[in-house]
Amino acid sequence: MTGTISGIKRNAVHDGEGLRTTVFFKGCPLRCVWCHNPESIAFGRSLGFYPEKCLSCGSCQTVCSRQAVRMENGIPVTDRERCSGCFGCTEMCPGDARIGYGEVWEADALAEKLAQDKPFFDNSGGGVTLSGGECLSQPGFACALAGALTEKQIRVNVDTCGYTTRTVLDSILPFTDTFLYDLKAIDREVHRKCTGRDNDCILDNLRYLTDQGAEIEIRYPLVPGWNQGECGRIGAFLAGLSRKHKVKVLGYHSLADGKYRALGMTDTLPPVQATLSDVEEAVRILQGYGLHAVNGMKDD
Ligand code: SF4
Ligand code: SF4
């Protein structure tokens, strides 16, 4: 079983317990305006160009067989309509200014590579986190990878937006140590405005996983002006589930704007920042519902 990923991050400390390696899957069904991983949104291959690293050597223009690159005043300009995503130019680029997002891996081979860090996982209580994008948008690959890691006695976290089917959840559940479950809004219109999608299946799936006894940590990305007013509704919803979960409030910042430019995408990031007091206030509100809420801007 093969799948496409946009990257691998070793020594991650915010994607679950202990020292972890996070695998970023390509493709996401949502379009969150505040997405910090725009390179993972598209299911196909994406080319990034970081002009600050460019040495103006022109190799990318020379190597591109599709004539998708032209030099303008020493800066390569890529015609993304022509670009096939072959990534030939990324291999030639001496400045690492051109980065290809979209490596295809076979699940067993990727598990083998990830297992090289097993001693660090074992010593720290960590493991591998499947993230994205939305890792469950490639369900066969996610399950094959999680299964192969489980066979190697490596614990797997699944970082998900919850926009998937119950069949997929049933398939990944036996291999999942903890779900890191994003909850962005309860109000359907607010959710649609923030992500482009309704949240019915997201809420249903969270109820379902809770009833199945899954280990879940809720992630609430707090974005002032977008979903800050959802905090009380989120608290009430979570308090009504059959079990209470830990909730981590993540304060938003807009530091990913360079990535949007690099990918030739429209930057949708709201130009706002959640302050420490915004997050602390949200934590207090959630705690008022009897929840174990923590400030994701601080170590917990
Ligand atoms: S990825 Fe391939 S097609 Fe696209 S600009 Fe680079 S060499 Fe040309
Ligand atoms: S190959 Fe890399 S360094 Fe050379 S012009 Fe192209 S982007 Fe710039």
Side-chain angles (χ1 to χ4, degrees):
M1 170 62 69
T2 59
T4 311
I5 64 170
S6 59
I8 295 171
K9 181 180 173 191
R10 296 172 71 202
N11 305 322
V13 292
H14 297 294
D15 296 326
E17 294 297 314
L19 214 50
R20 312 197 70 85
T21 296
T22 302
V23 181
F24 296 92
F25 283 49
K26 282 285 273 170
C28 185
L30 304 188
R31 291 292 178 273
C32 301
V33 294
W34 55 73
C35 180
H36 277 183
N37 296 322
E39 71 279 16
S40 298
I41 293 175
F43 284 88
R45 290 153 74 94
S46 314
L47 176 68
F49 169 58
Y50 295 86
E52 65 279 8
K53 293 184 175 177
C54 177
L55 306 176
S56 299
C57 69
S59 299
C60 48
Q61 182 183 32
T62 307
V63 78
C64 182
S65 59
R66 293 178 65 92
Q67 287 82 46
V69 186
R70 66 178 190 281
M71 297 300 287
E72 279 185 11
N73 301 321
I75 301 292
V77 178
T78 304
D79 181 341
R80 290 179 184 272
E81 296 290 313
R82 280 177 173 262
C83 172
S84 65
C86 72
F87 294 166
C89 58
T90 67
E91 286 158 26
M92 297 299 293
C93 178
D96 288 334
R98 301 178 82 82
I99 306 288
Y101 300 103
E103 243 183 279
V104 176
W105 276 89
E106 204 278 320
D108 285 339
L110 182 52
E112 199 66 43
K113 176 186 169 75
L114 297 168
Q116 289 169 3
D117 282 340
K118 188 171 185 305
F120 302 109
F121 303 151
D122 291 346
N123 284 338
S124 66
V128 170
T129 298
L130 310 189
S131 184
E134 171 51 55
C135 60
L136 298 182
S137 286
Q138 298 185 60
F141 179 55
C143 289
L145 179 58
L149 290 165
T150 303
E151 259 179 34
K152 296 178 187 300
Q153 298 182 316
I154 294 172
R155 291 194 292 183
V156 176
N157 282 359
V158 171
D159 182 0
T160 180
C161 70
Y163 197 91
T164 186
T165 65
R166 196 163 286 189
T167 307
V168 170
L169 292 180
D170 285 337
S171 305
I172 197 82
L173 189 52
F175 307 121
T176 305
D177 188 54
T178 302
F179 287 91
L180 308 176
Y181 203 104
D182 288 355
L183 199 52
K184 290 143 180 151
I186 302 298
D187 182 274
R188 190 191 271 170
E189 284 312 310
V190 174
H191 195 274
R192 199 197 304 248
K193 186 175 157 213
C194 292
T195 71
R197 296 276 195 180
D198 290 343
N199 57 356
D200 303 79
C201 77
I202 293 172
L203 301 182
D204 281 349
N205 285 336
L206 182 51
R207 284 188 202 96
Y208 178 70
L209 285 176
T210 302
D211 293 344
Q212 294 299 306
E215 190 63 38
I216 299 170
E217 179 180 294
I218 303 293
R219 303 290 182 94
Y220 167 34
L222 177 64
V223 189
W226 288 82
N227 68 346
Q228 196 165 15
E230 288 296 295
C231 189
R233 277 189 278 271
I234 287 174
F237 177 84
L238 292 174
L241 294 176
S242 59
R243 287 183 300 121
K244 288 202 172 80
H245 306 299
K246 177 180 175 184
V247 191
K248 190 175 270 190
V249 182
L250 303 172
Y252 166 82
H253 59 76
S254 59
L255 296 180
D257 56 341
K259 278 197 208 169
Y260 281 86
R261 278 194 298 276
L263 292 156
M265 294 169 66
T266 304
D267 177 1
T268 59
L269 293 172
V272 293
Q273 174 135 8
T275 64
L276 192 55
S277 67
D278 289 332
V279 175
E280 284 174 348
E281 173 63 11
V283 167
R284 269 194 300 278
I285 292 170
L286 293 165
Q287 287 172 343
Y289 286 91
L291 299 165
H292 175 202
V294 297
N295 181 345
M297 291 169 98
K298 291 179 178 172
D299 289 330
D300 56 311

